[in-house]
Amino acid sequence: MGVTRLTRHMFLWSMAIIYMFAFASLYVQIPGLYGNEGVLPVRLVEPRVNGSSLVLEQIHAHPSLLWLGPRLGLDLDAQQAMELLCLAGALLALGAALLEPLRDSLVFFCLWALYLSLCQVGQDFLRFQWDSLLLEAGFLTVLVAPLNLLRCATFRHHDAVTFWLARWLLFRLTFGSGVAKLASHCPSWWGLTAVNHMFEAQGIPLPWSWFIQQLPDWYLKLGTVGLLVTEIAVPPLYFAPIRSLRLAAFYIQVCVKLMFLGNYGFLPLLSLALTFSLLDDDHISYWLGHGKKKRTKSMTSFSSYATFMIVMYLSCFVAFTQQQFGNLLKLVTGPTIWVGVLSLTWEVVAAMLGCVCVRGCLWKLWGLVQWAVFASAAVAMFAISVVYSSKILPEVRQAYSLVERYRLVSAYSLDSRMTGVAGRSEVILEGSMDKNTWTEIEFMYKPGNVGVAPPVVAPHQPRLDWQMSQAAQGLAKQSPWFTGLVHCLLQGNKDVVRLIQTDSAQYPFSQAPPVYLRASLYRYWFTQTTQDGSGPNEWWRRDYAEEFYPAVQLGDATLEAMLNQHGLKEKFPIQPSPDSPLAQVLRQVRGHVQTLPGHLVLWSLLATVATIWLLKTLLSGVLGGRKAKPTPAEPKAKKAKDQPAEKSASASSLKAGRENSEESRRDADKSPKKRK
């Protein structure tokens, strides 16, 4: 068993589950977001390519599979093509999660290509940092996964090299986010008050966010220090040559991710999957009860290192100003890259030695060929991942420009600036039939009604609710999609209404669309605990801030001007949807899914996977118990053949026993007591 076999299987299985969640979550939202009459119709940005050009040229110019539909004879419109890609990705990922042979490099390449195709036309709703992270981690998965479907004979000596890229991505994600927090000169991070507002300002808070917000200020400040230390001081341990340091870094990262868990879609799961690169097979075998826990003698060194780093970090707030930190950051960037270079070099050399030690010249040659291919790919991925550094070769920047549109690498700075210091900003939509009486339109997930508790929706990501929270940080003109949302609600588009409320009884304008719509900006704060310590009657308190979007109606000059300005006005009439057999199947599937909220769809998928895994485990246990029964008597020929060997073994054991007894007698005779 290879050194990284179990960890690689855990990583691949996790990536399959994450892909399944990502595709399924997007699928339930496609009609409202990208439908022919959705918020941002995909038909307006569908790639238009020349049918006479070569396929490779078209892929390079528009890396999306949507335009391949006509070439393949698929009679589908743009919305149905997106639904087909999502369903194909979700089913393929489900198969990979349940069947180990499908956790193949070719399967993960298809998943990556499908998600890239969707992101290319996803516009504002598919530009979150975790979408870029999934694309980058998904491409690394292609290098990590084996070629099971082609049944290629392989020794997999390069596993440590390709799997190292996942560790490097985890380092860039964690360390980059930590450095960005201080480099942004955000007063909340430098004043150690960021966590005081973090749980309240989350895109979609959790129910226990209210309780965490009630903790004492000193405890929340300690949490800010712990988060910064975890993201800045701990990541160098990822490349430590001492095993216990890497394991300690794993447990620290997992604990911190659980402490700061939120409704971030599949981002927490993706971050957890990357942390598996810090483990080894011996530790996972210990988890499973198949191995003994190795005793390491370096926990003392880790404790001293952790204490030293915490003290040094706390002293930074006293000894360093923001300008000095910027100067220090410039000095640290170069050595950080060289640490990655040395760590990757070690893995490459170790993999090469493993290939050389294989018996047989042909097998050595085959192993070295594999090593050369995957080592070159790893070096190339590492080179373009440091393109964001100021001290980088021009050749690397040129190579990055060639693959930039494929989103193989990205820069990450999660929560670099803390919002919500003066209160959480929320956009509240209101509708009216006469412009006198206004009724609030409450969303399923984002804060609105002060008496409704925050929901648990992860791993589903309601992208409209998230964008509403992002839009509240700026002006309406900075969010062009908001005009499309207002226009769709005035038209009474049912697909868009389902993004807000799947239960029509909860939508105040289910019988007739509103004549007028407007949006206001409010400031939200969590309420405080009661004196008796009971749960809150109201979870939020809010104050009106300002107007966000003026009152408009269909045909309004202001609304028409905004639609034209943002390119949301249709110049040509919408063509009727095709009625091909495939289109009919897609409509039937959509009819069964559209009545359920997105988070219930994903939880149902998770329950399905868990049930199938449980049945497989029970069946394997029953079959394993049957195989463990005593085997029938062996054939006589085999017994006759084995009898001489058994006789000779018993004879030799008797002879050895006699010799040992004779030697013991001689020693006894030579002893002083015996002589006397």
Side-chain angles (χ1 to χ4, degrees):
M1 181 174 62
V3 178
T4 60
R5 183 179 177 183
L6 291 177
T7 53
R8 180 167 56 91
H9 285 334
M10 289 178 59
F11 175 72
L12 296 179
W13 181 82
S14 302
M15 288 300 299
I17 293 292
I18 293 168
Y19 267 125
M20 181 186 69
F21 287 150
F23 282 113
S25 177
L26 182 60
Y27 171 77
V28 298
Q29 305 176 74
I30 283 180
L33 296 179
Y34 303 109
N36 293 329
E37 298 180 359
V39 178
L40 290 177
V42 68
R43 56 188 169 78
L44 300 180
V45 295
E46 185 182 9
R48 301 286 190 266
V49 294
N50 186 5
S52 60
S53 58
L54 298 177
V55 175
L56 293 179
E57 294 179 356
Q58 296 178 5
I59 292 176
H60 183 68
H62 304 278
S64 177
L65 299 176
L66 290 179
W67 56 266
L68 285 180
R71 283 180 172 268
L72 298 176
L74 300 178
D75 188 14
L76 302 173
D77 58 21
Q79 173 191 340
Q80 293 170 339
M82 285 192 72
E83 292 181 355
L84 179 62
L85 294 184
C86 272
L87 284 176
L91 292 176
L92 195 59
L94 176 62
L98 297 176
L99 302 174
E100 184 177 344
L102 289 182
R103 293 169 212 157
D104 180 82
S105 181
L106 296 178
V107 172
F108 281 109
F109 178 79
C110 293
L111 292 173
W112 173 80
L114 290 171
Y115 203 74
L116 176 65
S117 302
L118 296 169
C119 288
Q120 290 295 326
V121 297
Q123 306 170 77
D124 292 338
F125 294 106
L126 275 169
R127 290 177 182 169
F128 294 100
Q129 291 196 53
W130 38 87
D131 293 315
S132 300
L133 182 63
L134 179 56
L135 286 174
E136 183 172 354
F139 188 79
L140 298 184
T141 309
V142 178
L143 301 178
V144 174
L147 282 169
N148 292 328
L149 298 181
L150 297 182
R151 301 187 180 276
C152 294
T154 175
F155 293 108
R156 306 295 304 180
H157 289 293
H158 58 270
D159 278 349
V161 178
T162 54
F163 206 26
W164 180 92
L165 293 173
R167 192 188 310 174
W168 176 248
L169 175 57
L170 176 65
F171 174 82
R172 288 171 42 227
L173 172 67
T174 309
F175 187 74
S177 298
V179 168
K181 289 177 174 59
L182 296 182
S184 64
H185 305 296
C186 178
S188 298
W189 289 112
W190 281 92
L192 302 181
T193 59
V195 176
N196 297 55
H197 313 286
M198 176 179 291
F199 292 93
E200 185 179 72
Q202 288 176 343
I204 302 177
L206 289 164
W208 50 85
S209 298
W210 184 91
F211 297 94
I212 296 177
Q213 195 72 21
Q214 313 304 319
L215 295 175
D217 289 343
W218 66 267
Y219 191 86
L220 297 176
K221 285 187 177 182
L222 185 62
T224 305
V225 175
L227 180 60
L228 290 173
V229 170
T230 303
E231 292 186 343
I232 297 178
V234 174
L237 297 178
Y238 299 168
F239 309 105
I242 303 175
R243 176 175 178 265
S244 63
L245 296 181
R246 298 193 301 271
L247 294 179
F250 167 79
Y251 285 109
I252 291 174
Q253 288 296 334
V254 171
C255 292
V256 170
K257 292 181 189 307
L258 292 177
M259 288 174 56
F260 294 92
L261 195 64
N263 282 314
Y264 290 98
F266 54 80
L267 176 62
L269 297 177
L270 188 51
S271 301
L272 182 61
L274 292 174
T275 58
F276 291 151
S277 60
L278 303 176
L279 299 177
D280 53 36
D281 284 0
D282 292 332
H283 198 70
I284 296 178
S285 297
Y286 171 74
W287 283 355
L288 301 176
H290 301 323
K292 296 182 179 180
K293 185 178 181 180
K294 289 187 176 181
R295 294 183 178 180
T296 57
K297 300 179 180 180
S298 57
M299 291 308 297
T300 304
S301 61
F302 167 72
S303 301
S304 60
Y305 175 87
T307 304
F308 173 77
M309 293 302 297
I310 292 174
V311 173
M312 289 298 296
Y313 182 81
L314 293 176
S315 64
C316 287
F317 290 97
V318 180
F320 285 91
T321 63
Q322 296 183 11
Q323 183 178 0
Q324 290 173 335
F325 175 79
N327 296 333
L328 178 63
L329 184 60
K330 294 178 181 178
L331 297 176
V332 172
T333 302
T336 301
I337 296 177
W338 279 109
V339 168
V341 171
L342 294 177
S343 180
L344 178 59
T345 303
W346 173 266
E347 298 292 350
V348 170
V349 173
M352 182 188 67
L353 295 177
C355 296
V356 173
C357 294
V358 176
R359 293 182 179 180
C361 295
L362 293 179
W363 292 116
K364 287 182 180 179
L365 180 61
W366 176 233
L368 288 174
V369 169
Q370 295 180 61
W371 167 83
V373 171
F374 287 96
S376 301
V379 171
M381 289 297 299
F382 173 77
I384 63 176
S385 69
V386 298
V387 70
Y388 298 101
S389 173
S390 58
K391 300 178 181 179
I392 199 65
L393 297 176
E395 292 78 9
V396 176
R397 295 188 182 278
Q398 184 178 2
Y400 171 76
S401 62
L402 295 177
V403 297
E404 183 178 6
R405 66 189 63 193
Y406 299 103
R407 301 172 70 172
L408 299 183
V409 296
S410 300
Y412 306 101
S413 56
L414 301 175
D415 296 325
S416 60
R417 295 194 64 87
M418 183 52 57
T419 59
V421 177
R424 174 194 180 91
S425 299
E426 280 295 339
V427 176
I428 302 300
L429 273 171
E430 297 175 299
S432 175
M433 306 300 291
D434 55 7
K435 210 175 183 179
N436 293 321
T437 303
W438 295 90
T439 304
E440 288 190 15
I441 297 177
E442 185 178 352
F443 285 65
M444 283 187 293
Y445 305 117
K446 83 176 192 68
N449 189 340
V450 296
V452 176
V456 178
V457 300
H460 174 58
Q461 186 192 0
R463 296 183 179 267
L464 179 60
D465 295 68
W466 264 93
Q467 282 292 2
M468 290 288 288
S469 299
Q470 297 294 322
Q473 308 304 322
L475 302 176
K477 62 181 180 181
Q478 297 174 342
S479 303
W481 57 268
F482 193 82
T483 300
L485 172 64
V486 171
H487 186 246
C488 292
L489 293 179
L490 288 174
Q491 291 179 325
N493 188 303
K494 294 183 179 180
D495 292 329
V496 178
V497 170
R498 290 191 189 98
L499 295 177
I500 299 175
Q501 288 288 349
T502 53
D503 185 5
S504 59
Q506 301 296 324
Y507 186 68
F509 301 99
S510 57
Q511 301 299 325
V515 178
Y516 300 94
L517 270 180
R518 71 180 184 184
S520 302
L521 193 66
Y522 282 80
R523 303 290 185 197
Y524 277 69
W525 298 270
F526 275 134
T527 55
Q528 300 298 319
T529 54
T530 57
Q531 294 182 354
D532 58 357
S534 60
N537 296 324
E538 290 188 348
W539 296 79
W540 301 94
R541 62 182 180 88
R542 70 178 188 180
D543 292 333
Y544 174 83
E546 59 184 358
E547 180 184 75
F548 183 80
Y549 202 89
V552 294
Q553 61 178 335
L554 288 177
D556 194 320
T558 303
L559 180 61
E560 294 295 325
M562 290 183 178
L563 290 173
N564 290 323
Q565 178 184 355
H566 301 312
L568 300 175
K569 189 68 175 178
E570 181 60 37
K571 299 179 181 179
F572 306 98
I574 300 176
Q575 300 296 328
S577 299
D579 198 27
S580 61
L582 181 57
Q584 293 178 5
V585 172
L586 291 174
R587 279 195 287 268
Q588 290 180 359
V589 175
R590 171 62 59 188
H592 290 291
V593 175
Q594 66 183 6
T595 57
L596 295 175
H599 65 283
L600 291 183
V601 174
L602 267 67
W603 292 351
S604 300
L605 279 176
L606 182 60
T608 301
V609 173
T611 303
I612 295 176
W613 269 103
L614 180 61
L615 292 176
K616 288 176 62 177
T617 304
L618 294 176
L619 291 176
S620 63
V622 172
L623 296 177
R626 291 177 179 176
K627 292 180 180 179
K629 292 180 180 180
T631 56
E634 297 180 352
K636 293 181 179 180
K638 187 174 182 180
K639 285 186 177 181
K641 185 177 180 180
D642 293 341
Q643 282 177 358
E646 294 176 356
K647 290 180 179 179
S648 60
S650 60
S652 60
S653 61
L654 290 173
K655 185 177 180 181
R658 290 171 183 172
E659 292 177 354
N660 292 334
S661 61
E662 291 177 359
E663 291 179 359
S664 61
R665 289 173 185 172
R666 293 171 187 171
D667 294 338
D669 293 339
K670 294 179 181 180
S671 63
K673 292 182 179 180
K674 186 71 177 178
R675 290 175 183 174
K676 293 179 181 179

